[in-house]
């Protein structure tokens, strides 16, 4: 959300009209979300509805985008990825990569949980591809929305992202991406809607584990004292046959278990790989 | 944190714009209770108020108490602010009636959110529109700029009319959407909003003990209600005058009652409120036979202005983003109460509840239905099917 606001401010400083908005579902604060940006050279933007298809897809998260998300890109569009290795997909769009997480690590731009925050480096790449004269505006926007050492480090990250983004060319063996599903999907869903607002499943179907960026991993040092189970706000740690088990389907990655654990090295938070 | 951009342009969300307007208006007491999607207003205010001892920022235990707090603070002669959404506004419902009948010039931002059940944090206007009979002036916004400008105007309107004003902005579509706007400086605002001087016999003053709102004789009670009705009628002119003064003072147009876009002589008119009316402007491009009417001031209802604007329209589509089960939608019922004898059809549509997307395609569909309906309107609104 902050990234889309900084990009909006960059466009505004470059003289465009902008509109940027996040899409929230039931996530807690800190969970990854989608945000949208419209920009216009000539006039105020009056479109007050959702973005269904996009010209540019920016993936800040280091996890690769799902086929559904890739399918929202219009033919002729652009996809910007926070990624070092090739993205082994192809379609009627351009793909650009920027090693944003690495740039964040190099500049010590870390979240409170110690995760590299590559968002501004990704914005550096976006500005290079969308408003090539706009790097100074991005630097100003970063300075306006952040302060102190954080702002300084992110200005460097913006420049690095600008310098280190590259478009990739399709090669044999890339998997083609399917374009967005047609409106018939929506009508199929409509037909099955119940009369009362009562879910036909219980909330176990809501896998809140998908919100997490990190997950606790227990080691042999664990004494199975179950203190973590007591404090876990989701109640997803249990003792099974004398050892502790975490149900990652519902673990929200808050890290409270790691903090309360009285035993050194018994539990560590590790990034969730996609 | 926001910063001023070149040319006085800033990028702010409507929530931020509201918070800045409140600070610029030199508010002295802020009552808070968090609720999505309004929470960021009071969070931003907490940051802006931090370290200032001339502003009281109070976290209350509920919206009901929060309204009680700002009512009492206002009666002590202090300019106040509070903000809420959805269930919070509904929970404070009885205080809303009290505020207008006690003639308390509150300014409140309602960030519109659908009402329970089932749960939704997405926008629709049912929360504030279902408060339309509580005696509050209601202004519905369609951009962050208008939120900022309307909050500034609201203090002038409220303190002149001695009536509370609710500035309404749809959640997420406005509250969390960053856009470009002009942020005025403090001196310019100070020259527009004078200090709050309440009538002496209305003020709560410990040196002059008095009883407020005790139980009067029926005829007296009735007379007080007539006073509120008269104040509401007078507010039409006040809204108009404040908007035109704002326009000349700030050099930026402030809509008073209605915003008209397109051909004023068109055969087809679309009446809407809030962001839907902003999106509808897209339909006007390249279409000479459409007039889009955006209702900004919903209470007092701008009946005369709407009648004049609709005088030449044969087909009128009225779009509600609020439910009023068992009757026409709120805006639909109000527009249909006008003298529209010349119109061949005036059809009311309900759409966009709980954040359901309302696109130009939705609105084109409504206009087409109206033109082909061949009936004067029907007794119930047409609920636009999902996905249209
Ligand atoms: S990270 Fe949080 S939710 Fe997950 S197991 Fe630990 S305490 Fe529970
Ligand atoms: S608190 Fe630490 S030692 Fe105790 S069960 Fe949990 S992980 Fe193991």
């Amino acid at each position: 959300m902050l990234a889309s606001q900084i990009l909006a401010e960059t466009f505004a400083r470059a003289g465009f009209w902008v509109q940027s908005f996040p899409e929230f579902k039931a996530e807690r604060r800190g969970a990854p979300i989608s945000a949208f940006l419209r920009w216009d050279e000539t006039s105020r933007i009056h479109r007050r509805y959702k973005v269904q298809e996009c010209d540019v897809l920016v993936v800040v998260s280091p996890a690769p985008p799902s086929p559904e998300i890739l399918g929202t890109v219009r033919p002729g569009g652009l996809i910007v990825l926070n990624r070092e290795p090739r993205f082994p997909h192809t379609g009627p769009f351009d793909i650009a990569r920027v090693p944003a997480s690495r740039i964040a690590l190099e500049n010590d731009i870390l979240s409170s949980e110690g995760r590299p925050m590559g968002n501004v480096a990704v914005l550096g790449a976006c500005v290079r591809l969308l408003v090539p004269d706009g790097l100074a505006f991005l630097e100003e926007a970063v300075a306006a929305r952040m302060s102190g050492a954080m702002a300084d480090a992110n200005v460097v990250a913006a420049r690095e992202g600008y310098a280190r983004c590259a478009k990739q060319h399709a090669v044999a063996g890339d998997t083609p991406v399917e374009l967005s599903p047609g409106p018939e999907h929506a009508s199929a869903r409509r037909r099955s809607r119940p009369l009362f607002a009562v879910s036909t499943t219980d909330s176990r179907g809501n896998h809140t584990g998908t919100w997490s960026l990190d997950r606790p991993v227990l080691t042999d040092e664990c004494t199975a004292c179950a203190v973590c189970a007591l404090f876990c706000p989701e109640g997803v740690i249990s003792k099974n046959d004398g050892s502790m088990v975490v149900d990652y389907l519902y673990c929200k990655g808050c890290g409270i278990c790691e903090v309360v654990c009285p035993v050194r090295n018994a539990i560590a938070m590790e990034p969730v790989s996609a | 944190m926001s910063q001023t951009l070149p040319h006085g342009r800033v990028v702010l969300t409507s929530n931020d714009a509201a918070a800045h307007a409140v600070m610029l208006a030199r508010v002295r007491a802020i009552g808070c209770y968090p609720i999505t999607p309004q929470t960021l207003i009071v969070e931003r205010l907490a940051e802006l108020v931090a370290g200032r001892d001339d502003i009281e920022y109070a976290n209350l235990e509920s919206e009901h108490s929060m309204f009680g707090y700002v009512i009492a603070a206002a009666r002590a002669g202090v300019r106040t602010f509070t903000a809420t959404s959805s269930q919070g506004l509904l929970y404070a419902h009885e205080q809303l009636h009290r505020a207008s009948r006690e003639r308390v010039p509150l300014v409140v931002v309602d960030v519109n959110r659908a009402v329970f059940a089932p749960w939704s944090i997405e926008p629709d206007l049912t929360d504030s529109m279902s408060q339309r009979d509580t005696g509050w002036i209601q202004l519905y916004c369609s951009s962050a700029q208008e939120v900022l400008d309307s909050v500034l105007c609201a203090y002038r309107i409220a303190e002149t009319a001695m009536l509370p004003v609710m500035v309404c902005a749809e959640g997420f579509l406005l509250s969390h959407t960053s856009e470009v706007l002009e942020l005025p400086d403090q001196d310019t605002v100070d020259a527009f909003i004078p200090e709050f001087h309440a009538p002496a016999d209305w003020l709560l003053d410990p040196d002059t003990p008095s009883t407020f709102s005790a139980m009067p004789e029926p005829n007296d009670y009735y007379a007080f209600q007539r006073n509120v009705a008269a104040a509401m009628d007078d507010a039409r002119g006040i809204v108009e005058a404040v908007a035109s003064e704002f326009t000349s003072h700030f050099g930026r147009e402030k809509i008073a009652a209605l915003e008209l876009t397109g051909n004023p002589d068109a055969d087809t008119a679309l009446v809407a409120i809030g962001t839907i009316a902003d999106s509808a402007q897209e339909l006007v491009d390249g279409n000479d036979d459409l007039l889009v009417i955006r209702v900004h001031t919903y209470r007092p209802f701008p009946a005369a202005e709407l009648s004049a604007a609709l005088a030449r329209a044969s087909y009128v589509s009225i779009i509600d983003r609020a439910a009023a089960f068992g009757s026409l939608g709120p805006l639909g019922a109000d527009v249909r109460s006008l003298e529209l004898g010349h119109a061949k059809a005036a059809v009311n549509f309900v759409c966009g509840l709980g954040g359901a997307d309302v696109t130009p395609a939705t609105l084109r569909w409504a206009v087409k239905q109206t033109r082909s309906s061949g009936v004067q309107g029907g007794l119930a609104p047409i609920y636009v099917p999902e996905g249209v």
Side-chain angles (χ1 to χ4, degrees):
Chain A
M1 182 170 171
L2 180 63
S4 78
Q5 288 182 332
I6 292 175
L7 192 56
E9 186 145 346
T10 306
F11 275 105
R13 284 169 186 269
F16 293 92
W17 293 93
V18 284
Q19 185 193 67
S20 130
F21 52 99
E23 182 175 72
F24 288 111
K25 299 200 180 94
E27 300 92 339
R28 63 171 171 82
R29 277 193 176 188
I33 56 150
S34 304
F36 302 91
L37 181 74
R38 290 183 171 113
W39 70 97
D40 193 298
E41 222 173 323
T42 51
S43 58
R44 181 179 283 285
I45 297 162
H46 295 286
R47 299 170 172 208
R48 306 283 176 181
Y49 46 91
K50 291 173 183 148
V51 171
Q52 304 288 2
E53 293 182 326
C54 63
D55 297 305
V56 182
L57 171 68
V58 181
V59 186
V60 175
S61 158
S66 66
E68 294 76 42
I69 291 180
L70 286 174
T72 63
V73 182
R74 283 194 190 124
L78 168 69
I79 299 172
V80 184
L81 300 174
N82 170 9
R83 190 179 166 91
E84 300 194 60
R86 268 188 60 67
F87 184 62
H89 294 272
T90 184
F93 37 66
D94 284 336
I95 296 176
R97 303 194 315 265
V98 55
S101 292
R102 175 172 297 274
I103 292 171
L105 277 175
E106 288 166 3
N107 291 284
D108 220 19
I109 303 169
L110 307 174
S111 70
S112 51
E113 302 88 24
R115 192 178 309 113
M117 301 286 285
N119 46 5
V120 173
V122 171
L123 296 186
C126 293
V127 166
R128 165 126 168 223
L129 297 159
L130 302 172
V131 250
D133 299 332
L135 183 57
F137 298 123
L138 174 59
E139 291 175 10
E140 286 170 24
V142 168
R145 299 252 166 184
M146 297 177 173
S147 56
M150 201 49 161
D152 297 342
N154 273 292
V155 166
V156 176
R159 287 183 200 141
E160 289 288 307
Y162 188 92
R164 286 158 71 180
C165 88
K167 284 198 181 172
Q168 77 172 31
H169 301 285
V171 297
D174 282 349
T175 316
V177 170
E178 304 257 340
L179 284 182
S180 58
E184 58 281 3
H185 282 72
S187 56
R189 260 187 281 125
R190 198 153 64 230
R191 252 177 271 127
S192 61
R193 189 161 296 135
L195 183 56
F196 301 107
V198 180
S199 173
T200 50
T201 60
D202 63 40
S203 58
R204 281 175 295 188
N206 183 13
H207 293 165
T208 47
T210 56
W211 305 353
S212 65
L213 298 171
D214 297 316
R215 54 167 56 173
V217 177
L218 276 59
T219 71
D220 290 345
E221 306 293 324
C222 168
T223 62
C225 69
V227 168
C228 55
L230 195 63
F231 281 90
C232 169
E234 297 303 302
V236 299
I237 310 180
S238 54
K239 198 185 262 189
N240 195 346
D241 260 352
S243 60
M244 306 309 294
V245 187
V246 180
D247 189 346
Y248 293 127
L249 269 185
Y250 307 104
C251 162
K252 291 200 285 192
C254 64
I256 289 173
C257 48
E258 185 192 27
V259 172
V260 299
C261 172
V263 179
R264 182 185 293 267
N265 296 335
I267 191 166
M269 299 301 290
E270 293 180 1
V272 178
S273 52
Chain B
M1 290 296 286
S2 63
Q3 296 288 323
T4 306
L5 294 171
H7 318 296
R9 284 161 41 115
V10 295
V11 178
L12 293 179
T13 64
S14 286
N15 275 348
D16 284 337
H20 277 89
V22 167
M23 295 306 286
L24 286 166
R26 295 193 184 278
V27 160
R28 300 260 316 280
I30 301 171
C32 304
Y33 193 82
I35 181 169
T36 301
Q38 166 283 127
T39 306
L40 291 168
I41 298 180
V42 293
E43 281 186 5
R44 179 69 73 239
L45 282 169
E47 290 168 13
L48 296 170
V49 164
R52 291 187 55 164
D53 52 14
D54 57 335
I55 303 175
E56 184 170 289
Y57 182 100
N59 270 313
L60 282 306
E61 75 275 15
S62 75
E63 289 86 354
H64 193 280
S65 318
M66 178 176 89
F67 275 78
Y69 167 82
V70 285
I71 288 171
R75 287 213 89 143
V78 161
R79 186 171 286 150
T80 70
F81 176 75
T82 189
T84 190
S85 294
S86 184
Q87 308 308 121
L89 186 71
L90 303 185
Y91 186 42
H93 170 77
E94 68 168 315
Q95 299 277 33
L96 301 186
H97 279 287
R98 173 188 166 198
S100 62
R101 286 160 167 83
E102 287 199 335
R103 309 292 301 277
V104 188
L106 302 181
V107 171
V108 167
V109 171
D110 180 55
V111 178
N112 295 104
R113 161 180 158 182
V115 300
F116 185 65
W119 282 120
S120 169
I121 57 169
E122 299 281 333
D124 73 40
L125 303 179
T126 306
D127 59 353
S128 57
M129 287 202 137
S130 66
Q131 309 304 312
R132 67 184 186 268
D133 299 336
T134 55
W136 284 57
I137 294 165
Q138 288 195 341
L139 311 175
Y140 286 81
C141 301
S142 68
S143 69
Q145 182 77 67
E146 193 172 47
V147 169
L148 181 113
D149 297 353
S150 297
V151 170
L152 295 178
C153 287
Y155 284 102
R156 287 285 308 274
I157 296 166
E159 290 164 15
T160 311
M162 290 301 280
L163 281 175
V165 180
M166 192 181 297
V167 177
C168 303
E170 285 148 89
F172 299 104
L173 289 166
L174 292 173
S175 67
H176 286 60
T177 297
S178 301
E179 21 179 354
V180 177
L181 63 132
E182 297 278 339
L183 192 59
D185 60 37
Q186 185 68 61
D187 290 346
T188 313
V189 175
D190 285 346
F192 180 69
I193 308 181
E195 261 187 63
F196 172 40
H197 289 297
D201 57 350
W202 174 92
L203 274 178
L204 203 152
D205 177 5
D207 296 332
T208 329
S210 8
T211 308
F212 294 109
S213 303
M215 198 181 287
E217 289 298 313
N219 276 339
D220 288 338
Y221 177 91
Y222 177 70
F224 287 125
Q225 310 307 307
R226 287 185 54 189
N227 288 347
V228 178
M232 219 18 159
D233 281 336
D234 291 346
R236 289 195 171 86
I238 297 169
V239 169
E240 190 75 46
V242 169
S244 81
E245 194 188 323
F246 184 99
T247 301
S248 58
H249 185 78
F250 290 90
R252 175 168 69 244
E253 193 194 0
K254 178 74 186 74
I255 298 297
L258 306 177
E259 180 183 24
L260 308 185
T261 313
N263 179 2
D265 298 320
D267 207 31
T268 308
L270 185 144
V271 186
I273 190 161
T275 62
I276 290 177
D278 205 32
S279 296
Q281 298 208 1
E282 214 173 311
L283 271 61
V284 168
D285 291 340
N287 179 359
D288 197 39
D289 184 32
L290 181 64
L291 171 66
V292 170
I293 303 173
R294 181 171 70 84
V295 176
H296 172 57
T297 302
Y298 177 57
R299 283 294 180 273
F301 189 65
E305 291 88 340
L306 262 167
S307 291
L310 289 170
R312 284 169 299 283
S314 302
Y315 298 94
V316 183
S317 310
I318 310 139
I319 315 291
D320 265 297
R321 184 172 226 147
F325 304 126
S327 98
L328 291 166
L331 188 60
D334 285 329
V335 174
R336 286 273 297 278
S337 75
L338 303 172
E339 188 51 63
L340 295 173
H342 59 283
K344 297 195 181 87
V347 184
N348 180 207
F349 298 86
V350 174
C351 56
L353 302 181
D357 217 12
V358 179
T359 67
T362 320
L363 301 175
R364 275 190 208 101
W365 184 88
V367 168
K368 199 166 161 221
Q369 292 284 315
T370 305
R371 290 200 64 104
S372 61
S373 72
V375 292
Q376 232 290 324
L379 299 172
I382 295 174
Y383 279 76
V384 176
E386 299 93 275
V388 171

